[in-house]
Amino acid sequence: VVQPDFGGIRVIADNPTKEDIGILVMQKNIQGDWVPIRNSIYTSVDEIKQSLRGFEAVDQKFAIVVRDHWLNYTDTLEINIKPLFEQLMPKSAYVGVRLANDTKTIDNAYPVSNLFDGQFLEYWGSYFTDRTVDVGNHLVTWDIGAKTKLSRLRIWNFSEPIGGKRLYYYLGAMKKFRIWGSNQVTDPNLETGWTLLGEYDIKKPSGLPYGQEDNNDLIAAKDGADYEIALDKPAVRYLRIECLDNWIGGKFMAITEVHVYGNPNF
């Protein structure tokens, strides 16, 4: 199944025997020939739900085939789709909000504004909650400036410099977390004042033990990762991140940067 999505298309497929397959998404080149786009899907998971982005919000034609390990191909599905418009919400409008159950930062430094200051590697430009605070899951809140139908958040977890390299799945980098949204900040209680927009479990591609990472892990983490918001979720203005677990097994969070994408005029 292929559907419109924010900035592109969403491919949904079943692969119950977990075969190594390629789902080749194609568009026509200037000669009129179908050619695969560079971010076609190659996978062996049983349930495939993947968005391909970077397309203008205009009617356009796609063709899709499935290829197996032995280069057998299915018939071609041709479909016309108009991707949904999305934009990076202007970070100049983001403002940190302090609610009663938000977790304090280390030494009250590293403010919420560090989440959207454009700094991606340095300690002083990152956001850290205080690891000594034991109040359950750690929370942070901010205003994105306008009520928006969200498509995704792109999050860069902090990369710890260890032994001349950077580890992305380490210490306070989030391993499991939730994103919440609301159009008011009068009620800090998540269950009564906020809508759950998504729960996410970060996987380390290499599967290596804690403290060990390879180039696959670096590639997956260094440019941030997208965490999609389902189309049926309401438009919101205020966001909260709730850290459920980090890579060392605690609740504190270490985040370098956040981009918020969506459509304020949806």
Side-chain angles (χ1 to χ4, degrees):
V1 176
V2 184
Q3 303 170 336
D5 203 350
F6 284 100
I9 63 173
R10 186 166 182 82
V11 177
I12 302 170
D14 292 327
N15 180 25
T17 54
K18 298 184 179 180
E19 302 292 337
D20 287 318
I21 60 170
I23 299 178
L24 306 182
V25 180
M26 300 179 290
Q27 289 193 301
K28 288 186 176 181
N29 61 17
I30 57 175
Q31 288 79 33
D33 299 320
W34 289 112
V35 292
I37 63 175
R38 63 176 181 83
N39 53 343
S40 291
I41 301 168
Y42 301 90
T43 185
S44 60
V45 300
D46 56 346
E47 293 184 1
I48 301 160
K49 296 180 180 179
Q50 188 166 330
S51 295
L52 306 179
R53 295 197 170 91
F55 300 94
E56 294 185 21
V58 297
D59 288 315
Q60 49 195 296
K61 182 173 285 188
F62 296 87
I64 297 163
V65 297
V66 180
R67 187 192 72 193
D68 70 9
H69 185 69
W70 295 273
L71 303 184
N72 297 303
Y73 291 83
T74 64
D75 290 336
T76 303
L77 168 68
E78 294 188 18
I79 188 169
N80 289 306
I81 287 183
K82 181 179 181 180
L84 305 176
F85 173 80
E86 72 163 3
Q87 68 179 60
L88 172 62
M89 297 302 294
K91 298 168 86 173
S92 59
Y94 300 2
V95 178
V97 177
R98 176 72 181 176
L99 297 185
N101 55 352
D102 280 340
T103 312
K104 73 183 184 74
T105 59
I106 301 173
D107 299 325
N108 289 316
Y110 309 103
V112 178
S113 59
N114 282 10
L115 289 176
F116 35 87
D117 64 353
Q119 302 297 326
F120 290 84
L121 287 176
E122 302 300 334
Y123 270 97
W124 53 264
S126 299
Y127 177 80
F128 307 95
T129 58
D130 192 332
R131 70 182 66 188
T132 68
V133 175
D134 186 13
V135 293
N137 301 333
H138 285 202
L139 287 161
V140 61
T141 309
W142 77 102
D143 176 4
I144 62 173
K147 185 177 179 181
T148 302
K149 182 73 169 177
L150 300 178
S151 56
R152 56 190 166 113
L153 268 64
R154 191 166 186 83
I155 298 176
W156 286 257
N157 274 335
F158 182 72
S159 57
E160 195 75 26
I162 301 289
K165 60 182 180 179
R166 307 193 78 94
L167 298 181
Y168 285 85
Y169 304 84
Y170 196 72
L171 290 180
M174 295 189 298
K175 186 176 183 181
K176 189 172 184 178
F177 67 98
R178 295 183 182 125
I179 297 172
W180 299 81
S182 181
N183 286 301
Q184 54 79 33
V185 287
T186 56
D187 184 358
N189 188 312
L190 291 174
E191 301 304 323
T192 58
W194 295 79
T195 297
L196 181 62
L197 300 179
E199 182 170 315
Y200 310 90
D201 195 353
I202 299 174
K203 304 293 186 182
K204 183 161 63 170
S206 69
L208 289 169
Y210 177 73
Q212 300 178 38
E213 298 177 17
D214 66 11
N215 194 55
N216 290 321
D217 301 325
L218 173 65
I219 292 171
K222 71 182 182 69
D223 293 325
D226 287 330
Y227 301 97
E228 298 177 349
I229 309 298
L231 279 170
D232 61 354
K233 298 299 182 181
V236 295
R237 174 168 176 168
Y238 300 96
L239 293 176
R240 304 188 89 179
I241 292 177
E242 178 190 15
C243 183
L244 306 178
D245 289 297
N246 59 29
W247 283 90
I248 203 173
K251 303 293 186 180
F252 63 94
M253 69 177 94
I255 303 173
T256 296
E257 194 77 9
V258 178
H259 288 177
V260 180
Y261 291 85
N263 183 350
N265 303 311
F266 189 82

